[in-house]
Amino acid sequence: MTSAPAIPRRALRRHDREIVALALPAFGALVAEPLFVMVDSAVIGHLGTRQLAGLGVAAALLTTAVSVFVFLAYATTAAVARRVGAGDLPAAIRQGMDGIWLALLLGAAVVAVVLPTAPWLVEVFGASPSAAPYATTYLRISALGIPAMLIVLAATGVLRGLQDTRTPLYVAVGGFTANAALNAGLVYLAGLGIAGSAWGTVLAQCGMAAAYLTVVVRGARRHDASLRPDAAGIRACAQAGVPLLIRTLSLRAVLMIATAIAARLGDAEVAAHQIVLSLWSLLSFALDAIAIAGQAIIGRYLGAGDRDGARAACRRMAQWGIAAGIVLGTLVVLARPLFIPLFTTDPAVQQPLFTTLLVVAVTQPVAGIVFILDGVLMGAGDGSYLAGAMVVTLAAFVPAALAVPALGGGLVALWWAMALMMTVRMLTLWLRTRSGRWIVTGASR
């Protein structure tokens, strides 16, 4: 981080209260999101193995399609928070509406692509002949909910930018509850099978989108902000999202390459790798919650022209990231004997898993810094740098990952390559925050 005088204790307490107030609800909302797929899996699992296998393929496709557009939340948070800091709430909401309109357009385009190509996509993802019909059915119906899912992303970004992470938590909990009830009712009571589960999820997602739109529209009317689509504003949102899209795709490439390499190491190694990835995702929720708070806080400070406040907030959140990483790493080490038997009793899987989790534990303080600084730069609207840094990180990871099977390494070596990837990310992000070039004040970057 940029050099700055010591932060007064009172200011530290203020930063801490603000981080906690934003991060805790954000964490709850993040945890609620994967519960949608878990509910679908639990309900469909009782229908049969073929149906569950079909859900697995369709869910992977849907998750990939939606995660690519996560920039809708990130870019909108930063842009709205800047205008909040500048004291222009009507412009902040207007900016948010541009993001929502962009989400609707992108969602419609994705639906137009997925509906006719669903059978081919299912085949490409390797669904068996017996599971493919179920996967196609679930994918086609669930695709109708993609516009709602993207609206939820953009509207979540609007509320985060407005320094409100409680409403997304309430909507996420309500959506999860509705999804569970609708799935059970449509699958078992109505007898619709896997199609009922898909329709239940679509209805829950549409309900979430409607709840968000109600909140945003009320805010727009209260502050006399226009709700009409603005071509220039939508285009600006798309342009701001392109660098974050590149960043996201590069990060997805890292995860896909890691899984492909693990598959080449053997069945036991890829099984252990999937377990480690599930834990990695869970740990990421805690760190990402602090990063989300960082996006909102940094954007607001820069919008208000408060350079010193932005620096101080960046430093404090980095300290939070390191502390959270140390705590999470310690928990991983201590919980290994309890965690591993929950997932597997196979000694061939347990052995590489036991050691690999040590690598994950050691990496957590680094991950804490990475998540926080990533959030800081997103809040500053520094998307171009984030895109370039992630491409550099991908370039460093690929040869290290490919060297693992070539040199006869196992899963532990692969996750050391992942640790290298995180270290490169940390260095690129630290250099940027250290330079101070991310500090650009004003209502827009």
Side-chain angles (χ1 to χ4, degrees), residues 175-266:
F176 165 72
T177 303
N179 183 49
L182 288 167
N183 266 260
L186 294 175
V187 171
Y188 299 129
L189 298 180
L192 296 180
I194 194 170
S197 177
W199 280 117
T201 300
V202 168
L203 291 173
Q205 290 162 346
C206 289
M208 292 173 67
Y212 274 118
L213 288 175
T214 299
V215 173
V216 174
V217 168
R218 283 178 181 173
R221 288 174 176 170
R222 185 164 57 248
H223 295 286
D224 197 26
S226 174
L227 297 172
R228 295 178 180 177
D230 177 66
I234 295 172
R235 187 164 53 249
C237 286
Q239 290 171 347
V242 169
L244 294 180
L245 174 62
I246 295 171
R247 167 202 168 274
T248 300
L249 290 175
S250 299
L251 184 56
R252 294 290 299 182
V254 167
L255 299 177
M256 291 175 64
I257 291 169
T259 300
I261 295 296
R264 295 179 60 186
L265 300 177

Coordinates of all heavy atoms in Angstrom, one line a residue, residues 175-266:
G175 N -35.1 -16.2 -1.3 CA -35.0 -17.0 -2.6 C -34.7 -18.4 -2.3 O -35.3 -19.4 -2.9
F176 N -33.8 -18.7 -1.3 CA -33.5 -20.1 -1.0 C -34.7 -20.8 -0.4 O -35.0 -21.9 -0.8 CB -32.3 -20.1 0.0 CG -32.1 -21.4 0.7 CD1 -31.6 -22.5 0.0 CD2 -32.5 -21.6 2.0 CE1 -31.5 -23.7 0.7 CE2 -32.4 -22.8 2.7 CZ -31.8 -23.9 2.0
T177 N -35.4 -20.1 0.5 CA -36.6 -20.8 1.1 C -37.7 -21.1 0.0 O -38.2 -22.2 0.0 CB -37.2 -19.8 2.2 OG1 -36.2 -19.5 3.1 CG2 -38.4 -20.5 2.8
A178 N -37.9 -20.1 -0.9 CA -38.9 -20.3 -1.9 C -38.5 -21.4 -2.9 O -39.3 -22.3 -3.3 CB -39.1 -19.0 -2.7
N179 N -37.2 -21.5 -3.2 CA -36.7 -22.5 -4.1 C -36.9 -23.9 -3.5 O -37.3 -24.8 -4.2 CB -35.2 -22.3 -4.3 CG -34.6 -23.3 -5.3 OD1 -35.1 -23.5 -6.4 ND2 -33.4 -23.9 -4.9
A180 N -36.6 -24.0 -2.2 CA -36.8 -25.3 -1.5 C -38.2 -25.8 -1.6 O -38.6 -26.9 -1.9 CB -36.3 -25.3 -0.1
A181 N -39.1 -24.8 -1.2 CA -40.6 -25.2 -1.2 C -41.1 -25.5 -2.6 O -41.8 -26.5 -2.8 CB -41.4 -24.0 -0.6
L182 N -40.7 -24.7 -3.6 CA -41.2 -24.9 -4.9 C -40.7 -26.2 -5.5 O -41.4 -26.9 -6.2 CB -40.8 -23.7 -5.8 CG -41.5 -22.4 -5.6 CD1 -40.8 -21.2 -6.3 CD2 -43.0 -22.5 -6.1
N183 N -39.4 -26.5 -5.3 CA -38.8 -27.7 -5.8 C -39.6 -28.9 -5.2 O -39.9 -29.8 -6.0 CB -37.3 -27.8 -5.4 CG -36.4 -27.3 -6.5 OD1 -35.8 -28.1 -7.2 ND2 -36.3 -26.0 -6.6
A184 N -39.7 -29.0 -3.9 CA -40.4 -30.1 -3.3 C -41.9 -30.2 -3.8 O -42.3 -31.4 -4.2 CB -40.4 -30.0 -1.8
G185 N -42.6 -29.1 -3.9 CA -44.0 -29.2 -4.4 C -44.1 -29.6 -5.9 O -44.9 -30.4 -6.2
L186 N -43.3 -29.0 -6.7 CA -43.4 -29.3 -8.2 C -42.9 -30.7 -8.5 O -43.4 -31.3 -9.4 CB -42.7 -28.2 -9.0 CG -43.3 -26.8 -8.9 CD1 -42.4 -25.8 -9.6 CD2 -44.7 -26.8 -9.5
V187 N -41.8 -31.1 -7.8 CA -41.2 -32.4 -8.2 C -42.1 -33.6 -7.6 O -42.4 -34.5 -8.3 CB -39.8 -32.5 -7.6 CG1 -39.3 -34.0 -7.7 CG2 -38.9 -31.6 -8.3
Y188 N -42.5 -33.5 -6.3 CA -43.2 -34.6 -5.7 C -44.7 -34.5 -5.8 O -45.4 -35.4 -6.2 CB -42.7 -34.7 -4.2 CG -41.2 -35.0 -4.1 CD1 -40.4 -34.2 -3.2 CD2 -40.6 -36.0 -4.8 CE1 -39.1 -34.5 -3.1 CE2 -39.3 -36.3 -4.7 CZ -38.5 -35.5 -3.8 OH -37.2 -35.7 -3.7
L189 N -45.2 -33.3 -5.3 CA -46.7 -33.2 -5.3 C -47.3 -33.1 -6.7 O -48.3 -33.7 -7.0 CB -47.1 -31.9 -4.5 CG -46.6 -32.0 -3.0 CD1 -47.1 -30.7 -2.3 CD2 -47.2 -33.2 -2.3
A190 N -46.6 -32.3 -7.6 CA -47.1 -32.1 -8.9 C -46.7 -33.2 -9.9 O -47.2 -33.3 -11.0 CB -46.8 -30.7 -9.5
G191 N -45.6 -34.0 -9.4 CA -45.1 -35.1 -10.2 C -44.4 -34.6 -11.5 O -44.4 -35.4 -12.5
L192 N -43.8 -33.5 -11.5 CA -43.1 -33.0 -12.7 C -41.7 -33.5 -12.9 O -41.1 -33.2 -13.9 CB -43.2 -31.4 -12.7 CG -44.5 -30.8 -12.8 CD1 -44.4 -29.3 -12.8 CD2 -45.3 -31.3 -14.0
G193 N -41.2 -34.2 -11.9 CA -39.8 -34.7 -12.0 C -38.8 -33.6 -12.1 O -38.9 -32.5 -11.5
I194 N -37.7 -33.8 -12.9 CA -36.6 -32.9 -13.0 C -37.1 -31.6 -13.6 O -36.5 -30.5 -13.2 CB -35.4 -33.5 -13.8 CG1 -34.2 -32.7 -13.6 CG2 -35.8 -33.6 -15.3 CD1 -32.9 -33.3 -14.2
A195 N -38.1 -31.6 -14.4 CA -38.6 -30.3 -15.0 C -39.2 -29.5 -13.9 O -39.1 -28.3 -13.9 CB -39.7 -30.6 -16.0
G196 N -39.8 -30.1 -12.9 CA -40.4 -29.4 -11.7 C -39.3 -28.7 -10.9 O -39.5 -27.5 -10.5
S197 N -38.2 -29.3 -10.8 CA -37.1 -28.7 -10.0 C -36.6 -27.5 -10.8 O -36.3 -26.5 -10.2 CB -36.0 -29.7 -9.9 OG -34.9 -29.1 -9.2
A198 N -36.5 -27.6 -12.1 CA -36.0 -26.5 -12.9 C -37.0 -25.3 -12.9 O -36.6 -24.2 -12.7 CB -35.8 -26.9 -14.4
W199 N -38.3 -25.6 -13.0 CA -39.3 -24.6 -12.9 C -39.3 -23.9 -11.5 O -39.5 -22.7 -11.4 CB -40.7 -25.1 -13.2 CG -40.9 -25.2 -14.7 CD1 -41.2 -26.4 -15.4 CD2 -40.9 -24.2 -15.7 NE1 -41.3 -26.1 -16.7 CE2 -41.2 -24.8 -16.9 CE3 -40.8 -22.8 -15.6 CZ2 -41.3 -24.0 -18.1 CZ3 -40.8 -22.1 -16.8 CH2 -41.1 -22.7 -18.0
G200 N -39.1 -24.7 -10.5 CA -39.1 -24.1 -9.1 C -37.9 -23.1 -9.0 O -38.1 -22.1 -8.4
T201 N -36.7 -23.5 -9.5 CA -35.6 -22.6 -9.4 C -35.8 -21.3 -10.2 O -35.5 -20.2 -9.8 CB -34.3 -23.4 -9.9 OG1 -34.1 -24.5 -9.1 CG2 -33.1 -22.5 -9.8
V202 N -36.4 -21.5 -11.4 CA -36.7 -20.3 -12.3 C -37.6 -19.4 -11.6 O -37.4 -18.1 -11.6 CB -37.2 -20.7 -13.6 CG1 -37.8 -19.5 -14.4 CG2 -36.2 -21.4 -14.5
L203 N -38.7 -19.9 -11.0 CA -39.7 -19.1 -10.3 C -39.0 -18.4 -9.1 O -39.3 -17.2 -8.8 CB -40.8 -19.9 -9.8 CG -41.8 -20.4 -10.9 CD1 -42.8 -21.4 -10.4 CD2 -42.4 -19.3 -11.7
A204 N -38.2 -19.1 -8.4 CA -37.5 -18.4 -7.2 C -36.6 -17.3 -7.7 O -36.5 -16.2 -7.1 CB -36.7 -19.5 -6.4
Q205 N -35.8 -17.6 -8.8 CA -34.9 -16.5 -9.3 C -35.7 -15.3 -9.8 O -35.3 -14.2 -9.6 CB -34.1 -17.1 -10.4 CG -33.1 -18.2 -10.0 CD -32.6 -19.1 -11.1 OE1 -33.1 -19.1 -12.2 NE2 -31.5 -19.8 -10.8
C206 N -36.8 -15.5 -10.5 CA -37.7 -14.4 -10.9 C -38.2 -13.6 -9.7 O -38.3 -12.4 -9.8 CB -38.8 -14.9 -11.8 SG -38.3 -15.6 -13.4
G207 N -38.6 -14.4 -8.7 CA -39.0 -13.7 -7.5 C -37.9 -12.8 -6.9 O -38.2 -11.7 -6.4
M208 N -36.7 -13.3 -6.8 CA -35.6 -12.5 -6.3 C -35.4 -11.3 -7.2 O -35.2 -10.2 -6.7 CB -34.3 -13.4 -6.3 CG -34.3 -14.5 -5.3 SD -32.9 -15.6 -5.4 CE -31.6 -14.5 -4.9
A209 N -35.4 -11.5 -8.5 CA -35.2 -10.3 -9.4 C -36.3 -9.3 -9.2 O -36.0 -8.1 -9.1 CB -35.2 -10.8 -10.8
A210 N -37.5 -9.7 -9.0 CA -38.7 -8.8 -8.8 C -38.5 -8.1 -7.4 O -38.8 -6.8 -7.4 CB -40.0 -9.6 -8.7
A211 N -38.0 -8.7 -6.4 CA -37.7 -8.1 -5.1 C -36.7 -7.0 -5.3 O -36.8 -5.9 -4.7 CB -37.3 -9.1 -4.1
Y212 N -35.6 -7.3 -6.0 CA -34.5 -6.3 -6.2 C -35.1 -5.1 -7.0 O -34.8 -4.0 -6.6 CB -33.4 -6.9 -6.9 CG -32.4 -7.6 -6.0 CD1 -32.1 -9.0 -6.1 CD2 -31.6 -6.9 -5.1 CE1 -31.2 -9.6 -5.3 CE2 -30.7 -7.6 -4.3 CZ -30.5 -8.9 -4.4 OH -29.6 -9.5 -3.6
L213 N -35.8 -5.4 -8.0 CA -36.3 -4.3 -8.9 C -37.2 -3.4 -8.1 O -37.3 -2.2 -8.3 CB -37.0 -4.9 -10.1 CG -36.0 -5.5 -11.2 CD1 -36.8 -6.2 -12.3 CD2 -35.1 -4.5 -11.7
T214 N -38.0 -4.0 -7.2 CA -38.9 -3.2 -6.4 C -38.2 -2.2 -5.5 O -38.5 -1.0 -5.4 CB -39.8 -4.1 -5.5 OG1 -40.6 -5.0 -6.3 CG2 -40.7 -3.3 -4.6
V215 N -37.1 -2.7 -4.9 CA -36.3 -1.8 -4.1 C -35.6 -0.7 -4.9 O -35.6 0.5 -4.5 CB -35.2 -2.7 -3.3 CG1 -34.2 -1.7 -2.6 CG2 -35.8 -3.6 -2.4
V216 N -35.0 -1.1 -6.1 CA -34.4 -0.1 -6.9 C -35.3 0.9 -7.5 O -35.0 2.1 -7.5 CB -33.6 -0.8 -8.0 CG1 -33.0 0.2 -9.0 CG2 -32.5 -1.7 -7.4
V217 N -36.5 0.4 -7.9 CA -37.5 1.4 -8.5 C -38.0 2.3 -7.5 O -38.2 3.5 -7.7 CB -38.6 0.5 -9.1 CG1 -39.8 1.5 -9.5 CG2 -38.2 -0.2 -10.4
R218 N -38.2 1.8 -6.2 CA -38.6 2.8 -5.2 C -37.6 3.8 -4.9 O -37.9 5.0 -4.7 CB -38.9 2.0 -3.9 CG -40.2 1.2 -3.9 CD -40.3 0.4 -2.6 NE -41.6 -0.4 -2.5 CZ -41.9 -1.3 -1.6 NH1 -41.0 -1.5 -0.6 NH2 -43.0 -1.9 -1.6
G219 N -36.3 3.4 -4.9 CA -35.2 4.4 -4.7 C -35.2 5.4 -5.9 O -35.0 6.6 -5.6
A220 N -35.4 4.9 -7.1 CA -35.4 5.8 -8.2 C -36.5 6.8 -8.2 O -36.3 8.0 -8.4 CB -35.5 5.0 -9.5
R221 N -37.7 6.4 -7.8 CA -38.8 7.3 -7.7 C -38.6 8.3 -6.5 O -38.9 9.5 -6.7 CB -40.1 6.6 -7.5 CG -40.5 5.8 -8.7 CD -41.8 5.0 -8.5 NE -42.2 4.3 -9.7 CZ -43.1 3.4 -9.8 NH1 -43.7 2.9 -8.7 NH2 -43.5 2.9 -11.0
R222 N -38.0 7.8 -5.4 CA -37.8 8.7 -4.3 C -36.8 9.8 -4.6 O -36.9 11.0 -4.1 CB -37.3 7.9 -3.1 CG -37.1 8.7 -1.8 CD -37.0 7.8 -0.6 NE -35.9 6.8 -0.7 CZ -36.0 5.5 -0.9 NH1 -37.3 5.0 -0.9 NH2 -35.0 4.7 -1.0
H223 N -35.8 9.5 -5.5 CA -34.8 10.5 -5.8 C -34.9 11.0 -7.2 O -34.0 11.7 -7.8 CB -33.4 9.8 -5.7 CG -33.1 9.4 -4.3 ND1 -32.7 10.4 -3.3 CD2 -33.0 8.2 -3.7 CE1 -32.5 9.7 -2.2 NE2 -32.7 8.4 -2.4
D224 N -36.1 10.8 -7.8 CA -36.4 11.3 -9.2 C -35.4 10.9 -10.2 O -35.0 11.8 -11.0 CB -36.6 12.8 -9.1 CG -37.3 13.4 -10.3 OD1 -38.1 12.7 -10.9 OD2 -37.1 14.6 -10.7
A225 N -35.0 9.7 -10.2 CA -34.0 9.2 -11.2 C -34.8 8.4 -12.3 O -35.7 7.7 -12.0 CB -33.0 8.2 -10.5
S226 N -34.3 8.6 -13.5 CA -35.0 8.0 -14.7 C -34.8 6.5 -14.7 O -33.7 6.0 -14.3 CB -34.4 8.6 -16.0 OG -35.0 7.9 -17.1
L227 N -35.8 5.7 -15.1 CA -35.8 4.3 -15.2 C -35.6 3.8 -16.6 O -35.5 2.6 -16.9 CB -37.1 3.7 -14.6 CG -37.3 3.9 -13.1 CD1 -38.7 3.4 -12.7 CD2 -36.2 3.2 -12.3
R228 N -35.7 4.8 -17.5 CA -35.6 4.4 -19.0 C -34.2 3.9 -19.4 O -33.2 4.4 -18.8 CB -36.0 5.6 -19.8 CG -37.5 6.0 -19.6 CD -37.8 7.2 -20.5 NE -39.2 7.7 -20.3 CZ -39.7 8.7 -20.9 NH1 -39.0 9.5 -21.7 NH2 -41.0 9.0 -20.7
P229 N -34.1 3.0 -20.3 CA -32.8 2.6 -20.8 C -32.1 3.7 -21.5 O -32.7 4.5 -22.3 CB -33.1 1.4 -21.7 CG -34.6 1.6 -22.2 CD -35.2 2.3 -21.0
D230 N -30.8 3.9 -21.2 CA -30.0 4.9 -21.8 C -28.9 4.3 -22.6 O -28.0 3.6 -22.0 CB -29.5 5.9 -20.7 CG -28.5 6.9 -21.3 OD1 -29.0 7.8 -22.1 OD2 -27.3 6.9 -21.0
A231 N -28.9 4.4 -23.9 CA -27.9 3.7 -24.7 C -26.5 4.0 -24.3 O -25.6 3.1 -24.2 CB -28.2 4.0 -26.2
A232 N -26.2 5.3 -24.1 CA -24.8 5.7 -23.7 C -24.4 5.1 -22.4 O -23.3 4.6 -22.2 CB -24.7 7.2 -23.7
G233 N -25.4 5.1 -21.4 CA -25.1 4.6 -20.1 C -24.9 3.1 -20.1 O -24.0 2.5 -19.5
I234 N -25.7 2.4 -20.9 CA -25.6 0.9 -21.0 C -24.2 0.6 -21.7 O -23.5 -0.4 -21.3 CB -26.7 0.3 -21.8 CG1 -28.0 0.5 -21.0 CG2 -26.5 -1.1 -22.1 CD1 -29.3 0.2 -21.8
R235 N -23.9 1.3 -22.7 CA -22.6 1.1 -23.4 C -21.4 1.3 -22.5 O -20.5 0.6 -22.5 CB -22.5 2.0 -24.6 CG -21.3 1.7 -25.5 CD -21.5 2.4 -26.9 NE -21.8 3.8 -26.8 CZ -23.0 4.3 -27.1 NH1 -24.0 3.6 -27.5 NH2 -23.2 5.6 -27.0
A236 N -21.5 2.4 -21.6 CA -20.4 2.6 -20.7 C -20.3 1.5 -19.7 O -19.2 1.1 -19.3 CB -20.7 4.0 -20.0
C237 N -21.4 1.0 -19.2 CA -21.4 -0.2 -18.3 C -20.7 -1.4 -19.0 O -19.9 -2.1 -18.3 CB -22.8 -0.6 -17.9 SG -23.5 0.6 -16.7
A238 N -21.1 -1.6 -20.2 CA -20.5 -2.8 -20.9 C -19.0 -2.6 -21.1 O -18.2 -3.5 -20.9 CB -21.1 -2.9 -22.3
Q239 N -18.5 -1.3 -21.4 CA -17.1 -1.1 -21.6 C -16.4 -1.2 -20.3 O -15.3 -1.8 -20.2 CB -16.9 0.3 -22.1 CG -17.4 0.5 -23.6 CD -17.4 1.9 -24.0 OE1 -17.3 2.9 -23.2 NE2 -17.5 2.2 -25.3
A240 N -17.0 -0.8 -19.2 CA -16.3 -1.0 -17.8 C -16.3 -2.5 -17.5 O -15.4 -2.9 -16.7 CB -17.1 -0.2 -16.8
G241 N -17.2 -3.2 -18.0 CA -17.2 -4.7 -17.6 C -16.3 -5.5 -18.4 O -15.9 -6.6 -18.0
V242 N -15.8 -5.1 -19.6 CA -15.0 -5.9 -20.4 C -13.7 -6.3 -19.7 O -13.3 -7.5 -19.7 CB -14.7 -5.2 -21.8 CG1 -13.6 -5.9 -22.5 CG2 -15.9 -5.1 -22.6
P243 N -12.9 -5.4 -19.1 CA -11.7 -5.8 -18.4 C -12.0 -6.8 -17.3 O -11.2 -7.8 -17.1 CB -11.2 -4.5 -17.8 CG -11.7 -3.4 -18.7 CD -13.1 -3.9 -19.0
L244 N -13.1 -6.6 -16.5 CA -13.5 -7.6 -15.5 C -13.9 -8.9 -16.0 O -13.6 -10.0 -15.4 CB -14.6 -7.0 -14.6 CG -14.2 -5.7 -13.8 CD1 -15.4 -5.3 -13.0 CD2 -13.0 -6.0 -12.9
L245 N -14.5 -8.9 -17.2 CA -14.8 -10.2 -17.9 C -13.5 -10.9 -18.3 O -13.4 -12.2 -18.1 CB -15.6 -9.9 -19.2 CG -15.9 -11.1 -20.1 CD1 -16.7 -12.1 -19.3 CD2 -16.6 -10.7 -21.4
I246 N -12.5 -10.2 -18.8 CA -11.2 -10.8 -19.1 C -10.6 -11.4 -17.8 O -10.0 -12.5 -17.8 CB -10.3 -9.8 -19.7 CG1 -10.8 -9.4 -21.1 CG2 -8.8 -10.4 -19.9 CD1 -10.1 -8.2 -21.7
R247 N -10.7 -10.6 -16.7 CA -10.1 -11.1 -15.4 C -10.8 -12.4 -15.0 O -10.2 -13.4 -14.6 CB -10.3 -10.0 -14.4 CG -10.1 -10.5 -12.9 CD -10.8 -9.6 -11.9 NE -10.8 -10.2 -10.6 CZ -11.8 -11.1 -10.2 NH1 -12.8 -11.4 -11.0 NH2 -11.8 -11.5 -9.0
T248 N -12.2 -12.4 -15.1 CA -12.9 -13.6 -14.7 C -12.6 -14.8 -15.5 O -12.5 -15.9 -15.0 CB -14.4 -13.3 -14.7 OG1 -14.7 -12.2 -13.8 CG2 -15.3 -14.5 -14.3
L249 N -12.5 -14.6 -16.8 CA -12.3 -15.7 -17.7 C -10.9 -16.3 -17.5 O -10.7 -17.5 -17.5 CB -12.4 -15.3 -19.2 CG -13.8 -14.9 -19.7 CD1 -13.7 -14.4 -21.1 CD2 -14.7 -16.2 -19.6
S250 N -9.9 -15.4 -17.2 CA -8.5 -15.9 -16.9 C -8.5 -16.7 -15.6 O -7.9 -17.7 -15.5 CB -7.6 -14.7 -16.8 OG -7.5 -13.9 -18.0
L251 N -9.3 -16.2 -14.6 CA -9.4 -17.0 -13.4 C -10.1 -18.3 -13.5 O -9.6 -19.3 -13.0 CB -10.1 -16.1 -12.3 CG -10.2 -16.7 -10.9 CD1 -8.8 -17.0 -10.3 CD2 -11.0 -15.7 -10.0
R252 N -11.1 -18.3 -14.3 CA -11.8 -19.6 -14.6 C -10.9 -20.6 -15.4 O -10.9 -21.8 -15.1 CB -13.0 -19.3 -15.5 CG -14.1 -18.6 -14.8 CD -14.9 -19.3 -13.8 NE -15.5 -20.5 -14.2 CZ -16.2 -21.3 -13.4 NH1 -16.4 -21.0 -12.2 NH2 -16.8 -22.4 -13.9
A253 N -10.0 -20.0 -16.2 CA -9.1 -20.8 -17.0 C -8.1 -21.5 -16.0 O -7.8 -22.7 -16.2 CB -8.3 -20.0 -18.0
V254 N -7.7 -20.8 -15.0 CA -6.8 -21.4 -14.0 C -7.4 -22.6 -13.3 O -6.8 -23.7 -13.2 CB -6.4 -20.3 -12.9 CG1 -5.8 -21.0 -11.7 CG2 -5.5 -19.3 -13.5
L255 N -8.7 -22.4 -12.9 CA -9.4 -23.5 -12.2 C -9.6 -24.7 -13.2 O -9.5 -25.9 -12.8 CB -10.7 -23.0 -11.7 CG -10.6 -21.9 -10.6 CD1 -12.0 -21.4 -10.2 CD2 -9.8 -22.3 -9.4
M256 N -10.0 -24.4 -14.4 CA -10.2 -25.5 -15.4 C -8.9 -26.3 -15.7 O -8.9 -27.5 -15.8 CB -10.8 -24.9 -16.7 CG -12.3 -24.4 -16.5 SD -12.9 -23.6 -18.0 CE -12.9 -25.0 -19.1
I257 N -7.8 -25.5 -15.8 CA -6.5 -26.2 -16.1 C -6.1 -27.0 -14.9 O -5.7 -28.2 -15.1 CB -5.5 -25.1 -16.4 CG1 -5.8 -24.5 -17.8 CG2 -4.1 -25.8 -16.4 CD1 -4.9 -23.2 -18.1
A258 N -6.3 -26.5 -13.7 CA -6.0 -27.3 -12.5 C -6.8 -28.6 -12.5 O -6.2 -29.6 -12.1 CB -6.2 -26.4 -11.3
T259 N -8.1 -28.5 -12.8 CA -8.9 -29.7 -12.7 C -8.5 -30.7 -13.8 O -8.4 -31.9 -13.6 CB -10.4 -29.3 -12.9 OG1 -10.7 -28.5 -11.8 CG2 -11.3 -30.6 -12.9
A260 N -8.1 -30.2 -15.0 CA -7.7 -31.1 -16.1 C -6.4 -31.8 -15.7 O -6.2 -33.0 -16.0 CB -7.5 -30.2 -17.4
I261 N -5.5 -31.0 -15.1 CA -4.2 -31.6 -14.7 C -4.5 -32.7 -13.6 O -3.9 -33.8 -13.7 CB -3.2 -30.6 -14.2 CG1 -2.8 -29.6 -15.3 CG2 -2.0 -31.2 -13.6 CD1 -2.1 -30.2 -16.4
A262 N -5.3 -32.4 -12.7 CA -5.6 -33.4 -11.6 C -6.2 -34.6 -12.2 O -5.9 -35.7 -11.7 CB -6.6 -32.7 -10.6
A263 N -7.1 -34.5 -13.2 CA -7.6 -35.7 -13.9 C -6.6 -36.6 -14.5 O -6.7 -37.8 -14.5 CB -8.7 -35.3 -14.9
R264 N -5.5 -36.0 -15.0 CA -4.4 -36.8 -15.6 C -3.6 -37.5 -14.5 O -2.8 -38.4 -14.8 CB -3.5 -35.9 -16.4 CG -4.2 -35.2 -17.6 CD -3.2 -34.3 -18.4 NE -2.0 -35.1 -18.8 CZ -1.0 -34.5 -19.4 NH1 -1.0 -33.1 -19.6 NH2 0.0 -35.2 -19.9
L265 N -3.7 -37.1 -13.2 CA -2.9 -37.7 -12.2 C -3.5 -39.0 -11.7 O -2.8 -39.7 -11.0 CB -2.7 -36.7 -11.0 CG -2.0 -35.4 -11.4 CD1 -2.0 -34.5 -10.1 CD2 -0.6 -35.6 -11.9
G266 N -4.8 -39.2 -12.0 CA -5.4 -40.5 -11.5 C -6.7 -40.2 -10.8 O -7.0 -39.1 -10.4

